Amino acid sequence: MASPLKDLYSPEFYDRFAKPASAVLPAFNKKKFNQLIFDKDWGSKELKQRMRHTAEVLHHFLPDDFEQAAEQIISLIRHLQKSGFTENGLEFMFLPDYVEVYGIDHFRSSVRCMEQVTQFTSCEFAVRPFLLRYPDKMMQQMQRWSLHKDHKVRRLASEGTRPRLPWAMAVPALKKDPAPVLSILENLKQDSSEWVRRSVANNLNDIAKDHPQIVTAIAKKWKGLGKETDAIIKHGCRTLLKKGDAEILSYYGLSNSQDIQLTKTSLLTPEVRIGKELCFAFHVHNRSGRSQTVRLEYGIYYLRLNGQLSKKVFKISERMLAPDEKLTVQRKQSFRLITTRRFYPGQQQLSIIINGQERKTMPFILLP
């Protein structure tokens, strides 16, 4: 069984960190650092609590003057890189967290620090309070970062301005009106880095959840610019596709044609126990005299604690069916226990979805 993520903050990690910290930070004392880290509440702290706790402990060994502290953090990162520490390591997220906590009143120094820190470990969470405190200045900075020579800084411009960035502080203004973000995405839509382009797609998908018309307009505007941009559009429209949005389905030529026939649907496990798999099968037949694009999905209506059903859509495939072509589909849906979803025994539902339209819904029983 995999170790909890919070165990990234282990005695071994802090022991490795202490060597470069001692070399760069004049006030650093390894013994005192470990005493402060492993306090009486350490065992009960989860990942983000340990991250914040590490930033707070580090503050004991950095200057009170944030501008000086920022310079020492930048020097520390350069030393960490030379010492062989892996970039993008989740455990080093306490460094941007430090900037978030202690640099919020020092805009210029914090921006300079984040520009360097994010090239070692992402500052996507750290920029959020700055977007709240300094909305205009920070968005101008994000615009400049979208043109930066380093792809990690360019990604920060997109990822940090996502209206619905997971696990991050909310920025209600961007959710209400994403217009300030759009020019950043324009700058990055043909970026040379796939990592940056994927962030652009995720940003678009966030926007689509509240403003679908904006994203469909962007899809039309960007159409045909290149295969990479086409991929951004497709990934950025995934929520709209799963919702069966008529405009985006039409954009991809996914018509609600009755010539695409669903037949021989079968629920192979009408009762499934938690920890096992729901098994089902169906046939699709293109009865028309022309080839048609077919997007196949299925929905699971999970029973929630309040007795209501909550739908989640899963993609099967998207492909071209030749005239009179028949396709047999078999799928399994796991009900294995995971930390991100809780299952409740009782009647649930399975639906078969073709080109965004639910064609058939079948009940099944989830057993304890």
Side-chain angles (χ1 to χ4, degrees), residues 157-168:
S158 172
E159 198 70 10
T161 56
R162 285 180 58 181
R164 290 173 171 263
L165 180 63
W167 307 310

Side-chain angles (χ1 to χ4, degrees), residues 112-129:
R112 180 177 180 274
C113 189
M114 283 191 284
E115 185 172 315
Q116 298 300 315
V117 171
T118 204
Q119 296 177 53
F120 181 70
T121 186
S122 179
C123 286
E124 64 204 62
F125 301 130
V127 298
R128 309 294 280 193

Side-chain angles (χ1 to χ4, degrees), residues 20-214:
S22 298
V24 174
L25 308 181
F28 190 83
N29 180 288
K30 180 180 178 180
K31 184 177 179 180
K32 184 179 178 183
F33 180 81
N34 284 333
Q35 287 174 344
L36 292 170
I37 286 287
F38 299 109
D39 62 11
K40 60 182 178 63
D41 299 320
W42 175 256
S44 63
K45 288 181 170 68
E46 297 301 324
L47 176 66
K48 292 194 74 173
Q49 292 172 312
R50 290 186 178 187
M51 187 183 298
R52 175 58 56 86
H53 177 64
T54 304
E56 292 171 345
V57 169
L58 185 63
H59 185 57
H60 288 269
F61 306 97
L62 286 170
D64 290 333
D65 181 278
F66 180 77
E67 188 169 350
Q68 294 179 28
E71 290 297 331
Q72 290 191 18
I73 288 173
I74 292 170
S75 297
L76 174 62
I77 285 175
R78 290 169 181 161
H79 204 82
L80 289 168
Q81 290 170 320
K82 291 177 182 178
S83 300
F85 280 90
T86 304
E87 295 183 0
N88 305 319
L90 182 62
E91 59 268 40
F92 280 106
M93 291 291 284
F94 69 85
L95 293 173
D97 199 55
Y98 186 95
V99 180
E100 175 183 339
V101 174
Y102 298 105
I104 190 64
D105 295 325
H106 308 275
F107 180 82
R108 189 179 299 276
S109 297
S110 292
V111 162
R112 180 177 180 274
C113 189
M114 283 191 284
E115 185 172 315
Q116 298 300 315
V117 171
T118 204
Q119 296 177 53
F120 181 70
T121 186
S122 179
C123 286
E124 64 204 62
F125 301 130
V127 298
R128 309 294 280 193
F130 289 86
L131 287 167
L132 292 172
R133 174 79 74 87
Y134 313 98
D136 294 335
K137 287 200 322 184
M138 198 63 207
M139 283 305 299
Q140 291 170 11
Q141 182 60 53
M142 302 299 259
Q143 287 278 353
R144 288 191 286 272
W145 278 342
S146 72
L147 301 172
H148 198 276
K149 63 181 181 180
D150 189 282
H151 74 281
K152 294 179 181 178
V153 180
R154 297 197 303 273
R155 178 186 178 273
L156 176 62
S158 172
E159 198 70 10
T161 56
R162 285 180 58 181
R164 290 173 171 263
L165 180 63
W167 307 310
M169 183 181 294
V171 184
L174 296 183
K175 187 177 176 182
K176 182 179 180 180
D177 179 15
V181 182
L182 301 184
S183 56
I184 291 174
L185 304 187
E186 282 286 344
N187 288 343
L188 300 172
K189 66 180 182 294
Q190 292 178 295
D191 198 272
S192 58
S193 166
E194 182 180 357
W195 198 36
V196 174
R197 297 196 304 271
R198 190 167 186 86
S199 177
V200 172
N202 287 334
N203 200 318
L204 285 176
N205 191 57
D206 282 2
I207 294 171
K209 293 174 182 178
D210 301 297
H211 306 278
Q213 72 284 355
I214 290 178

Side-chain angles (χ1 to χ4, degrees), residues 289-335:
R290 59 186 178 87
S291 297
Q292 294 196 64
T293 303
V294 178
R295 181 183 176 90
L296 300 177
E297 299 167 299
Y298 64 95
I300 300 291
Y301 286 83
Y302 292 101
L303 182 65
R304 309 291 358 131
L305 181 61
N306 62 6
Q308 301 297 310
L309 294 175
S310 176
K311 180 183 175 184
K312 183 172 177 60
V313 175
F314 301 88
K315 182 180 177 182
I316 298 173
S317 67
E318 185 175 317
R319 53 165 293 178
M320 187 71 71
L321 283 187
D324 202 40
E325 183 178 356
K326 299 177 181 178
L327 181 66
T328 300
V329 178
Q330 291 184 319
R331 276 295 182 274
K332 296 179 180 179
Q333 176 64 27
S334 174
F335 280 86

Side-chain angles (χ1 to χ4, degrees), residues 265-272 278-280 299-302 309 335 346-352 360-366:
T265 56
S266 58
L267 198 54
L268 305 177
T269 52
E271 293 187 350
V272 57
L278 174 72
C279 303
F280 60 97
I300 300 291
Y301 286 83
Y302 292 101
L309 294 175
F335 280 86
Q347 184 171 291
Q348 335 261 319
Q349 292 180 358
L350 164 75
S351 68
I352 308 300
K360 186 163 185 176
T361 301
M362 298 171 282
F364 65 93
I365 303 296
L366 185 64

